[in-house]
Amino acid sequence: VDIDITCIDEDGNDCKQTRVADPQCSSNGINTISFSYLATKCDDSATTQNLECNDFNGGPTATSLVVCLTESGNTLLTKVVSEGDLISVPSSGNGSLPGTITCDVKDEGTGTRRQSIEIDTSDLALKDIYGSLQLESCDEKQCIIPATFTYTIQNVGTQPMDITILERNWEYTQFINGEEVSVNDSENLLNTVGEKSLGVNDETTAVENATYDICTKGDYKMTANVKADPPVGIHCLREDTYIIETMPKQCGVDVDITC
């Protein structure tokens, strides 16, 4: 059995071509920004801004109502979020975001304010943390990339076989609350396999729609493992690895063997 991983981003490009953008956002004319919700307190902020942030009633909780307003009080966003959710804050109308926006984090049930954050939109940087909100994108600059991962499995043996295991694991380092955290994200994908019984030379695919974070430290490594059982004899195992280099290397060399 053989397995091959491919990844295509939302623009139709090979994910290996993706590179992290300059983290500094434009100082004017931003139309949309997005944040991930961390449920963290003001003391956990990580930004060069002179941030106005205040916690109330014990600070944010794992699930909250986030309301973002313009300086004149116009509502830009009202959304219930849970820790890890992504929220998008668009400008009102066809213009750009105002120079300052205020985001209030409230109790989902009672509406009690638990945090108030005043954010300067002219001085934003990807992955900066403003209270319980971490910046993930500003217009075309973004950290979270939607993509389609395709796992192609082929029977390269001499007898039919059944696919019995397909698992994948992502390994990367992420900044969470300002600290480096090693992440191992595993998933059983057997139920996504199109055809589990393969004749000789037949192939099948499994497709996973997911996102990956290019604002990570180091490489983003995916490993997929497949197990196939023939009617007679021992089972077959195969592994493939797909690596997304989020930062270009200053020096690189490759080698290929042909026979």
PDB file of all heavy atoms in Angstrom, residues 163-191:
ATOM      1  N   ILE A 163      -8.595  -1.210   3.525  1.00  0.00           N
ATOM      2  CA  ILE A 163      -8.010  -0.151   4.356  1.00  0.00           C
ATOM      3  C   ILE A 163      -8.666  -0.216   5.730  1.00  0.00           C
ATOM      4  O   ILE A 163      -9.887  -0.086   5.859  1.00  0.00           O
ATOM      5  CB  ILE A 163      -8.231   1.232   3.726  1.00  0.00           C
ATOM      6  CG1 ILE A 163      -7.745   1.260   2.271  1.00  0.00           C
ATOM      7  CG2 ILE A 163      -7.532   2.315   4.548  1.00  0.00           C
ATOM      8  CD1 ILE A 163      -6.300   0.893   2.091  1.00  0.00           C
ATOM      9  N   THR A 164      -7.872  -0.409   6.769  1.00  0.00           N
ATOM     10  CA  THR A 164      -8.414  -0.560   8.127  1.00  0.00           C
ATOM     11  C   THR A 164      -8.001   0.562   9.068  1.00  0.00           C
ATOM     12  O   THR A 164      -8.622   0.745  10.117  1.00  0.00           O
ATOM     13  CB  THR A 164      -7.987  -1.910   8.728  1.00  0.00           C
ATOM     14  OG1 THR A 164      -6.550  -2.016   8.676  1.00  0.00           O
ATOM     15  CG2 THR A 164      -8.600  -3.067   7.942  1.00  0.00           C
ATOM     16  N   ILE A 165      -6.955   1.308   8.720  1.00  0.00           N
ATOM     17  CA  ILE A 165      -6.528   2.438   9.555  1.00  0.00           C
ATOM     18  C   ILE A 165      -6.062   3.571   8.645  1.00  0.00           C
ATOM     19  O   ILE A 165      -5.315   3.344   7.687  1.00  0.00           O
ATOM     20  CB  ILE A 165      -5.370   2.054  10.509  1.00  0.00           C
ATOM     21  CG1 ILE A 165      -5.855   1.085  11.591  1.00  0.00           C
ATOM     22  CG2 ILE A 165      -4.772   3.301  11.170  1.00  0.00           C
ATOM     23  CD1 ILE A 165      -4.733   0.600  12.522  1.00  0.00           C
ATOM     24  N   LEU A 166      -6.526   4.780   8.911  1.00  0.00           N
ATOM     25  CA  LEU A 166      -5.965   6.002   8.325  1.00  0.00           C
ATOM     26  C   LEU A 166      -5.963   7.064   9.417  1.00  0.00           C
ATOM     27  O   LEU A 166      -7.020   7.508   9.877  1.00  0.00           O
ATOM     28  CB  LEU A 166      -6.761   6.487   7.115  1.00  0.00           C
ATOM     29  CG  LEU A 166      -6.254   7.811   6.507  1.00  0.00           C
ATOM     30  CD1 LEU A 166      -4.811   7.685   6.020  1.00  0.00           C
ATOM     31  CD2 LEU A 166      -7.160   8.302   5.381  1.00  0.00           C
ATOM     32  N   GLU A 167      -4.776   7.449   9.832  1.00  0.00           N
ATOM     33  CA  GLU A 167      -4.620   8.449  10.888  1.00  0.00           C
ATOM     34  C   GLU A 167      -3.635   9.511  10.441  1.00  0.00           C
ATOM     35  O   GLU A 167      -2.671   9.217   9.720  1.00  0.00           O
ATOM     36  CB  GLU A 167      -4.119   7.804  12.182  1.00  0.00           C
ATOM     37  CG  GLU A 167      -5.081   6.793  12.781  1.00  0.00           C
ATOM     38  CD  GLU A 167      -4.511   6.087  13.998  1.00  0.00           C
ATOM     39  OE1 GLU A 167      -3.275   6.014  14.125  1.00  0.00           O
ATOM     40  OE2 GLU A 167      -5.306   5.594  14.818  1.00  0.00           O
ATOM     41  N   ARG A 168      -3.864  10.727  10.866  1.00  0.00           N
ATOM     42  CA  ARG A 168      -2.908  11.796  10.587  1.00  0.00           C
ATOM     43  C   ARG A 168      -2.588  12.545  11.866  1.00  0.00           C
ATOM     44  O   ARG A 168      -3.377  12.621  12.804  1.00  0.00           O
ATOM     45  CB  ARG A 168      -3.441  12.742   9.513  1.00  0.00           C
ATOM     46  CG  ARG A 168      -4.618  13.600   9.951  1.00  0.00           C
ATOM     47  CD  ARG A 168      -4.180  15.022  10.231  1.00  0.00           C
ATOM     48  NE  ARG A 168      -5.347  15.873  10.480  1.00  0.00           N
ATOM     49  CZ  ARG A 168      -5.684  16.333  11.666  1.00  0.00           C
ATOM     50  NH1 ARG A 168      -4.970  16.012  12.729  1.00  0.00           N
ATOM     51  NH2 ARG A 168      -6.734  17.127  11.812  1.00  0.00           N
ATOM     52  N   ASN A 169      -1.380  13.136  11.888  1.00  0.00           N
ATOM     53  CA  ASN A 169      -0.940  13.909  13.051  1.00  0.00           C
ATOM     54  C   ASN A 169      -0.221  15.161  12.581  1.00  0.00           C
ATOM     55  O   ASN A 169       0.634  15.105  11.692  1.00  0.00           O
ATOM     56  CB  ASN A 169       0.003  13.083  13.926  1.00  0.00           C
ATOM     57  CG  ASN A 169       0.391  13.831  15.188  1.00  0.00           C
ATOM     58  OD1 ASN A 169      -0.456  14.165  16.007  1.00  0.00           O
ATOM     59  ND2 ASN A 169       1.670  14.125  15.342  1.00  0.00           N
ATOM     60  N   TRP A 170      -0.584  16.317  13.150  1.00  0.00           N
ATOM     61  CA  TRP A 170       0.105  17.577  12.881  1.00  0.00           C
ATOM     62  C   TRP A 170       1.006  17.896  14.061  1.00  0.00           C
ATOM     63  O   TRP A 170       0.608  17.765  15.211  1.00  0.00           O
ATOM     64  CB  TRP A 170      -0.897  18.722  12.703  1.00  0.00           C
ATOM     65  CG  TRP A 170      -1.707  18.652  11.454  1.00  0.00           C
ATOM     66  CD1 TRP A 170      -1.538  17.811  10.393  1.00  0.00           C
ATOM     67  CD2 TRP A 170      -2.833  19.472  11.139  1.00  0.00           C
ATOM     68  NE1 TRP A 170      -2.490  18.056   9.440  1.00  0.00           N
ATOM     69  CE2 TRP A 170      -3.297  19.068   9.867  1.00  0.00           C
ATOM     70  CE3 TRP A 170      -3.495  20.494  11.792  1.00  0.00           C
ATOM     71  CZ2 TRP A 170      -4.388  19.650   9.238  1.00  0.00           C
ATOM     72  CZ3 TRP A 170      -4.577  21.098  11.171  1.00  0.00           C
ATOM     73  CH2 TRP A 170      -5.020  20.683   9.905  1.00  0.00           C
ATOM     74  N   GLU A 171       2.212  18.344  13.747  1.00  0.00           N
ATOM     75  CA  GLU A 171       3.146  18.795  14.781  1.00  0.00           C
ATOM     76  C   GLU A 171       3.602  20.209  14.435  1.00  0.00           C
ATOM     77  O   GLU A 171       4.066  20.459  13.323  1.00  0.00           O
ATOM     78  CB  GLU A 171       4.374  17.883  14.847  1.00  0.00           C
ATOM     79  CG  GLU A 171       4.080  16.441  15.230  1.00  0.00           C
ATOM     80  CD  GLU A 171       5.336  15.588  15.191  1.00  0.00           C
ATOM     81  OE1 GLU A 171       6.377  16.055  15.700  1.00  0.00           O
ATOM     82  OE2 GLU A 171       5.290  14.484  14.623  1.00  0.00           O
ATOM     83  N   TYR A 172       3.477  21.124  15.389  1.00  0.00           N
ATOM     84  CA  TYR A 172       3.924  22.493  15.185  1.00  0.00           C
ATOM     85  C   TYR A 172       4.048  23.187  16.532  1.00  0.00           C
ATOM     86  O   TYR A 172       3.603  22.664  17.556  1.00  0.00           O
ATOM     87  CB  TYR A 172       2.974  23.259  14.265  1.00  0.00           C
ATOM     88  CG  TYR A 172       1.526  23.291  14.717  1.00  0.00           C
ATOM     89  CD1 TYR A 172       1.023  24.358  15.450  1.00  0.00           C
ATOM     90  CD2 TYR A 172       0.662  22.245  14.404  1.00  0.00           C
ATOM     91  CE1 TYR A 172      -0.295  24.387  15.856  1.00  0.00           C
ATOM     92  CE2 TYR A 172      -0.658  22.260  14.811  1.00  0.00           C
ATOM     93  CZ  TYR A 172      -1.136  23.334  15.535  1.00  0.00           C
ATOM     94  OH  TYR A 172      -2.440  23.355  15.952  1.00  0.00           O
ATOM     95  N   THR A 173       4.665  24.354  16.505  1.00  0.00           N
ATOM     96  CA  THR A 173       4.795  25.168  17.715  1.00  0.00           C
ATOM     97  C   THR A 173       3.933  26.408  17.557  1.00  0.00           C
ATOM     98  O   THR A 173       4.011  27.100  16.544  1.00  0.00           O
ATOM     99  CB  THR A 173       6.255  25.578  17.955  1.00  0.00           C
ATOM    100  OG1 THR A 173       7.039  24.398  18.124  1.00  0.00           O
ATOM    101  CG2 THR A 173       6.378  26.433  19.206  1.00  0.00           C
ATOM    102  N   GLN A 174       3.106  26.672  18.540  1.00  0.00           N
ATOM    103  CA  GLN A 174       2.180  27.795  18.480  1.00  0.00           C
ATOM    104  C   GLN A 174       2.405  28.715  19.674  1.00  0.00           C
ATOM    105  O   GLN A 174       2.807  28.262  20.748  1.00  0.00           O
ATOM    106  CB  GLN A 174       0.744  27.275  18.483  1.00  0.00           C
ATOM    107  CG  GLN A 174      -0.304  28.324  18.136  1.00  0.00           C
ATOM    108  CD  GLN A 174      -1.670  27.689  17.941  1.00  0.00           C
ATOM    109  OE1 GLN A 174      -1.955  26.630  18.484  1.00  0.00           O
ATOM    110  NE2 GLN A 174      -2.522  28.323  17.166  1.00  0.00           N
ATOM    111  N   PHE A 175       2.158  30.007  19.446  1.00  0.00           N
ATOM    112  CA  PHE A 175       2.214  30.958  20.547  1.00  0.00           C
ATOM    113  C   PHE A 175       0.825  31.067  21.171  1.00  0.00           C
ATOM    114  O   PHE A 175      -0.127  31.503  20.524  1.00  0.00           O
ATOM    115  CB  PHE A 175       2.683  32.332  20.051  1.00  0.00           C
ATOM    116  CG  PHE A 175       4.131  32.363  19.681  1.00  0.00           C
ATOM    117  CD1 PHE A 175       4.527  32.185  18.367  1.00  0.00           C
ATOM    118  CD2 PHE A 175       5.115  32.538  20.639  1.00  0.00           C
ATOM    119  CE1 PHE A 175       5.858  32.194  18.006  1.00  0.00           C
ATOM    120  CE2 PHE A 175       6.451  32.544  20.297  1.00  0.00           C
ATOM    121  CZ  PHE A 175       6.827  32.379  18.985  1.00  0.00           C
ATOM    122  N   ILE A 176       0.710  30.630  22.423  1.00  0.00           N
ATOM    123  CA  ILE A 176      -0.557  30.682  23.139  1.00  0.00           C
ATOM    124  C   ILE A 176      -0.353  31.509  24.394  1.00  0.00           C
ATOM    125  O   ILE A 176       0.493  31.190  25.228  1.00  0.00           O
ATOM    126  CB  ILE A 176      -1.050  29.262  23.498  1.00  0.00           C
ATOM    127  CG1 ILE A 176      -1.269  28.435  22.219  1.00  0.00           C
ATOM    128  CG2 ILE A 176      -2.335  29.332  24.316  1.00  0.00           C
ATOM    129  CD1 ILE A 176      -1.693  27.008  22.477  1.00  0.00           C
ATOM    130  N   ASN A 177      -1.116  32.585  24.479  1.00  0.00           N
ATOM    131  CA  ASN A 177      -0.984  33.515  25.616  1.00  0.00           C
ATOM    132  C   ASN A 177       0.452  33.989  25.777  1.00  0.00           C
ATOM    133  O   ASN A 177       0.960  34.146  26.892  1.00  0.00           O
ATOM    134  CB  ASN A 177      -1.472  32.870  26.909  1.00  0.00           C
ATOM    135  CG  ASN A 177      -2.925  32.463  26.843  1.00  0.00           C
ATOM    136  OD1 ASN A 177      -3.660  32.927  25.971  1.00  0.00           O
ATOM    137  ND2 ASN A 177      -3.352  31.609  27.742  1.00  0.00           N
ATOM    138  N   GLY A 178       1.133  34.210  24.628  1.00  0.00           N
ATOM    139  CA  GLY A 178       2.483  34.742  24.652  1.00  0.00           C
ATOM    140  C   GLY A 178       3.568  33.716  24.901  1.00  0.00           C
ATOM    141  O   GLY A 178       4.745  34.066  24.964  1.00  0.00           O
ATOM    142  N   GLU A 179       3.213  32.430  25.024  1.00  0.00           N
ATOM    143  CA  GLU A 179       4.196  31.395  25.293  1.00  0.00           C
ATOM    144  C   GLU A 179       4.229  30.383  24.151  1.00  0.00           C
ATOM    145  O   GLU A 179       3.216  30.132  23.497  1.00  0.00           O
ATOM    146  CB  GLU A 179       3.873  30.679  26.607  1.00  0.00           C
ATOM    147  CG  GLU A 179       3.920  31.582  27.839  1.00  0.00           C
ATOM    148  CD  GLU A 179       3.655  30.818  29.119  1.00  0.00           C
ATOM    149  OE1 GLU A 179       3.372  29.600  29.038  1.00  0.00           O
ATOM    150  OE2 GLU A 179       3.722  31.427  30.199  1.00  0.00           O
ATOM    151  N   GLU A 180       5.420  29.797  23.913  1.00  0.00           N
ATOM    152  CA  GLU A 180       5.568  28.761  22.899  1.00  0.00           C
ATOM    153  C   GLU A 180       5.031  27.441  23.438  1.00  0.00           C
ATOM    154  O   GLU A 180       5.432  26.987  24.500  1.00  0.00           O
ATOM    155  CB  GLU A 180       7.034  28.604  22.497  1.00  0.00           C
ATOM    156  CG  GLU A 180       7.618  29.819  21.798  1.00  0.00           C
ATOM    157  CD  GLU A 180       9.061  29.587  21.410  1.00  0.00           C
ATOM    158  OE1 GLU A 180       9.514  28.429  21.455  1.00  0.00           O
ATOM    159  OE2 GLU A 180       9.743  30.566  21.058  1.00  0.00           O
ATOM    160  N   VAL A 181       4.121  26.834  22.677  1.00  0.00           N
ATOM    161  CA  VAL A 181       3.520  25.571  23.078  1.00  0.00           C
ATOM    162  C   VAL A 181       3.636  24.589  21.926  1.00  0.00           C
ATOM    163  O   VAL A 181       3.233  24.891  20.799  1.00  0.00           O
ATOM    164  CB  VAL A 181       2.034  25.747  23.466  1.00  0.00           C
ATOM    165  CG1 VAL A 181       1.411  24.409  23.834  1.00  0.00           C
ATOM    166  CG2 VAL A 181       1.897  26.737  24.615  1.00  0.00           C
ATOM    167  N   SER A 182       4.199  23.398  22.185  1.00  0.00           N
ATOM    168  CA  SER A 182       4.289  22.347  21.164  1.00  0.00           C
ATOM    169  C   SER A 182       2.935  21.652  21.051  1.00  0.00           C
ATOM    170  O   SER A 182       2.367  21.213  22.060  1.00  0.00           O
ATOM    171  CB  SER A 182       5.370  21.331  21.528  1.00  0.00           C
ATOM    172  OG  SER A 182       6.641  21.948  21.531  1.00  0.00           O
ATOM    173  N   VAL A 183       2.440  21.552  19.816  1.00  0.00           N
ATOM    174  CA  VAL A 183       1.110  21.004  19.576  1.00  0.00           C
ATOM    175  C   VAL A 183       1.226  19.718  18.766  1.00  0.00           C
ATOM    176  O   VAL A 183       1.935  19.670  17.759  1.00  0.00           O
ATOM    177  CB  VAL A 183       0.222  22.012  18.826  1.00  0.00           C
ATOM    178  CG1 VAL A 183      -1.160  21.412  18.554  1.00  0.00           C
ATOM    179  CG2 VAL A 183       0.093  23.307  19.619  1.00  0.00           C
ATOM    180  N   ASN A 184       0.526  18.681  19.202  1.00  0.00           N
ATOM    181  CA  ASN A 184       0.346  17.449  18.440  1.00  0.00           C
ATOM    182  C   ASN A 184      -1.153  17.239  18.268  1.00  0.00           C
ATOM    183  O   ASN A 184      -1.868  16.994  19.247  1.00  0.00           O
ATOM    184  CB  ASN A 184       0.971  16.251  19.155  1.00  0.00           C
ATOM    185  CG  ASN A 184       2.455  16.139  18.927  1.00  0.00           C
ATOM    186  OD1 ASN A 184       2.900  15.615  17.914  1.00  0.00           O
ATOM    187  ND2 ASN A 184       3.230  16.654  19.868  1.00  0.00           N
ATOM    188  N   ASP A 185      -1.623  17.353  17.048  1.00  0.00           N
ATOM    189  CA  ASP A 185      -3.058  17.282  16.759  1.00  0.00           C
ATOM    190  C   ASP A 185      -3.311  16.041  15.902  1.00  0.00           C
ATOM    191  O   ASP A 185      -2.970  16.009  14.719  1.00  0.00           O
ATOM    192  CB  ASP A 185      -3.491  18.552  16.029  1.00  0.00           C
ATOM    193  CG  ASP A 185      -4.950  18.515  15.612  1.00  0.00           C
ATOM    194  OD1 ASP A 185      -5.683  17.632  16.088  1.00  0.00           O
ATOM    195  OD2 ASP A 185      -5.358  19.369  14.794  1.00  0.00           O
ATOM    196  N   SER A 186      -3.905  14.994  16.491  1.00  0.00           N
ATOM    197  CA  SER A 186      -4.141  13.731  15.790  1.00  0.00           C
ATOM    198  C   SER A 186      -5.614  13.568  15.443  1.00  0.00           C
ATOM    199  O   SER A 186      -6.493  14.053  16.161  1.00  0.00           O
ATOM    200  CB  SER A 186      -3.684  12.541  16.649  1.00  0.00           C
ATOM    201  OG  SER A 186      -2.299  12.605  16.888  1.00  0.00           O
ATOM    202  N   GLU A 187      -5.862  12.867  14.335  1.00  0.00           N
ATOM    203  CA  GLU A 187      -7.234  12.659  13.889  1.00  0.00           C
ATOM    204  C   GLU A 187      -7.337  11.307  13.181  1.00  0.00           C
ATOM    205  O   GLU A 187      -6.464  10.924  12.397  1.00  0.00           O
ATOM    206  CB  GLU A 187      -7.659  13.771  12.926  1.00  0.00           C
ATOM    207  CG  GLU A 187      -9.143  13.786  12.604  1.00  0.00           C
ATOM    208  CD  GLU A 187      -9.996  14.307  13.746  1.00  0.00           C
ATOM    209  OE1 GLU A 187      -9.479  15.084  14.561  1.00  0.00           O
ATOM    210  OE2 GLU A 187     -11.185  13.924  13.811  1.00  0.00           O
ATOM    211  N   ASN A 188      -8.418  10.567  13.486  1.00  0.00           N
ATOM    212  CA  ASN A 188      -8.727   9.318  12.786  1.00  0.00           C
ATOM    213  C   ASN A 188      -9.576   9.658  11.566  1.00  0.00           C
ATOM    214  O   ASN A 188     -10.687  10.176  11.694  1.00  0.00           O
ATOM    215  CB  ASN A 188      -9.482   8.376  13.729  1.00  0.00           C
ATOM    216  CG  ASN A 188      -9.796   7.035  13.099  1.00  0.00           C
ATOM    217  OD1 ASN A 188      -9.686   6.862  11.888  1.00  0.00           O
ATOM    218  ND2 ASN A 188     -10.205   6.079  13.914  1.00  0.00           N
ATOM    219  N   LEU A 189      -9.067   9.370  10.369  1.00  0.00           N
ATOM    220  CA  LEU A 189      -9.739   9.752   9.127  1.00  0.00           C
ATOM    221  C   LEU A 189     -10.331   8.559   8.379  1.00  0.00           C
ATOM    222  O   LEU A 189     -10.727   8.706   7.209  1.00  0.00           O
ATOM    223  CB  LEU A 189      -8.755  10.488   8.208  1.00  0.00           C
ATOM    224  CG  LEU A 189      -8.157  11.794   8.752  1.00  0.00           C
ATOM    225  CD1 LEU A 189      -7.159  12.357   7.754  1.00  0.00           C
ATOM    226  CD2 LEU A 189      -9.242  12.812   9.054  1.00  0.00           C
ATOM    227  N   LEU A 190     -10.414   7.392   9.010  1.00  0.00           N
ATOM    228  CA  LEU A 190     -10.879   6.209   8.297  1.00  0.00           C
ATOM    229  C   LEU A 190     -12.278   6.393   7.712  1.00  0.00           C
ATOM    230  O   LEU A 190     -12.557   5.941   6.591  1.00  0.00           O
ATOM    231  CB  LEU A 190     -10.856   4.991   9.230  1.00  0.00           C
ATOM    232  CG  LEU A 190     -11.223   3.651   8.579  1.00  0.00           C
ATOM    233  CD1 LEU A 190     -10.236   3.300   7.477  1.00  0.00           C
ATOM    234  CD2 LEU A 190     -11.275   2.532   9.625  1.00  0.00           C
ATOM    235  N   ASN A 191     -13.147   7.096   8.435  1.00  0.00           N
ATOM    236  CA  ASN A 191     -14.521   7.272   7.953  1.00  0.00           C
ATOM    237  C   ASN A 191     -14.613   8.202   6.745  1.00  0.00           C
ATOM    238  O   ASN A 191     -15.671   8.283   6.109  1.00  0.00           O
ATOM    239  CB  ASN A 191     -15.412   7.810   9.080  1.00  0.00           C
ATOM    240  CG  ASN A 191     -15.682   6.768  10.153  1.00  0.00           C
ATOM    241  OD1 ASN A 191     -15.608   5.572   9.893  1.00  0.00           O
ATOM    242  ND2 ASN A 191     -15.991   7.218  11.363  1.00  0.00           N
TER     243      ASN A 191
END
